[in-house]
Amino acid sequence: MRLSQRFYQLPVLFDVERLQAEVAALPDEAWGPHPDRVHGNSAARLISAGGVETDSVHGQMSPTPWLEQMPYLRQVLSGFGVVWSRSRLMRLAAGAGVPEHADINYHWHTRVRLHIPVFTRPQVRFHCDGEAVHMGAGEAWIFDNWRRHHVENGSDAERIHLVADTTGTAGFWQFACGKTPPRDQWRTVGWDPTAPSQLLTEADQRFAVMPAAEVQWLVDDLSQELTPAADGAEARARAERFRAVLAGFVQDWRQLCALHGVSGRGRSDFMRLAGAVHQAVRPLAEGLVMRTNGAGALLVLEKRVLQ
């Protein structure tokens, strides 16, 4: 999700010792490799599609057996009062890093990732679009993952963060991005065995066919971010033709929705239209990128609209 600044630290603190005890109690089999097999990166799944060992962002999200064994982590997550999508413990080995990237997939268009560090050292630095911070143990942070970002663990110990994805409520966003009080006034959330820990988790968000209003929203956002990597009359002209093709695509998609609805009937017509627009913009896309993060325009179109 695109934010107005790179990082926000939420004014809340958690019980580090309790977090660390629950995480340390996990067996070795709870930890699996990073989905992209990034060296030194591993994860323990806490909320996943079907509550099983998968990194998919599609399906009914449910707690895994590992989270069921962690009552304080459940209390921490439920205390935000938001609906959670995929959530994990992310482990970064000593001296390892997360390569620079931007999160451009459809999943991230409306979601933000909450970070709560559990095990960390001051040498662990999180970089986002030229700014770097250390996220301290027991703190809570969000960041603009549309911008390019990376992580460096310059310490001699592994780093473990709780990372949880959400769209957030109005109250959450006011809390996260509103005026921050002095740190000595922040709320501290300790372990409370009587506190409710009912988790709200996402239902399957997939459409049989994406509604026209959603397509319009995604295409408008892409068009506003679109820019030539190197300025010039020819590049600007291609960018305008790219936008024109996308505008026509939205109009034609809306007509197909009017004809077939969004239940999945006539799906082959929608697929043909998506394929046709993909072919139409391919020769126009060279050198066209997103203004904020430099991602290729064609790749963003594929990841966010033409999935």
Side-chain angles (χ1 to χ4, degrees):
M1 179 179 285
R2 203 168 306 158
L3 303 178
S4 59
Q5 63 188 52
R6 296 167 181 83
F7 294 100
Y8 290 90
Q9 185 176 4
L10 283 61
V12 62
L13 299 169
F14 299 98
D15 184 335
V16 176
E17 290 186 5
R18 178 80 193 200
L19 285 172
Q20 291 180 345
E22 289 192 352
V23 172
L26 285 175
D28 289 343
E29 57 264 31
W31 297 93
H34 187 278
D36 297 326
R37 298 300 194 270
V38 178
H39 173 73
N41 287 252
S42 54
R45 302 171 179 101
L46 303 180
I47 297 174
S48 68
V52 299
E53 295 296 326
T54 176
D55 293 302
S56 174
V57 295
H58 301 301
Q60 171 64 56
M61 294 292 158
S62 300
T64 67
W66 310 122
L67 183 56
E68 299 289 2
Q69 300 175 23
M70 309 174 85
Y72 182 53
L73 261 74
R74 286 181 61 91
Q75 178 189 325
V76 166
L77 289 170
S78 65
F80 283 94
V82 301
V83 178
W84 295 110
S85 183
R86 183 181 62 176
S87 302
R88 297 170 289 181
L89 292 166
M90 300 296 288
R91 185 170 63 181
L92 186 60
V98 178
E100 186 177 67
H101 65 288
D103 295 313
I104 62 174
N105 294 53
Y106 174 78
H107 173 81
W108 291 113
H109 191 65
T110 57
R111 293 175 183 85
V112 69
R113 171 163 289 174
L114 175 75
H115 278 249
I116 299 178
V118 180
F119 290 96
T120 190
R121 298 282 183 87
Q123 297 90 342
V124 177
R125 306 292 290 176
F126 200 113
H127 300 257
C128 182
D129 192 26
E131 183 178 346
V133 301
H134 170 67
M135 301 178 179
E139 298 176 347
W141 294 75
I142 60 174
F143 71 99
D144 184 349
N145 60 347
W146 172 254
R147 308 187 204 213
R148 299 197 66 80
H149 56 277
H150 68 283
V151 185
E152 297 172 339
N153 182 1
S155 76
D156 58 1
E158 64 186 18
R159 181 227 72 174
I160 299 177
H161 279 199
L162 168 63
V163 295
D165 304 345
T166 183
T167 57
T169 61
F172 172 85
W173 286 108
Q174 184 177 8
F175 180 68
C177 303
K179 186 177 180 180
T180 304
R183 190 177 176 103
D184 60 6
Q185 297 178 21
W186 292 7
R187 180 164 56 96
T188 298
V189 180
W191 163 238
D192 180 358
T194 67
S197 58
Q198 181 65 41
L199 285 174
L200 305 175
T201 56
E202 281 191 8
D204 193 338
Q205 301 296 302
R206 286 173 293 186
F207 301 106
V209 169
M210 187 179 289
E214 180 87 355
V215 173
Q216 178 83 64
W217 182 35
L218 293 169
V219 166
D220 285 351
D221 185 71
L222 190 160
S223 295
Q224 290 167 11
E225 275 276 293
L226 184 68
T227 189
D231 194 22
E234 190 273 337
R236 290 195 299 271
R238 278 192 293 106
E240 287 307 310
R241 292 199 298 274
F242 194 105
R243 292 188 183 96
V245 171
L246 294 185
F249 167 64
V250 172
Q251 292 168 336
D252 290 343
W253 193 274
R254 185 178 294 114
Q255 280 288 281
L256 288 179
C257 288
L259 177 64
H260 296 303
V262 295
S263 66
R265 191 183 72 183
R267 182 175 176 80
S268 59
D269 288 347
F270 291 97
M271 296 302 293
R272 278 193 293 272
L273 176 58
V277 75
H278 189 271
Q279 291 302 312
V281 298
R282 184 180 291 277
L284 303 174
E286 183 178 356
L288 300 183
V289 299
M290 298 295 97
R291 182 175 291 103
T292 309
N293 61 22
L298 183 60
L299 180 61
V300 174
L301 180 65
E302 293 167 346
K303 294 287 188 179
R304 286 207 165 175
V305 185
L306 302 180
Q307 289 187 321

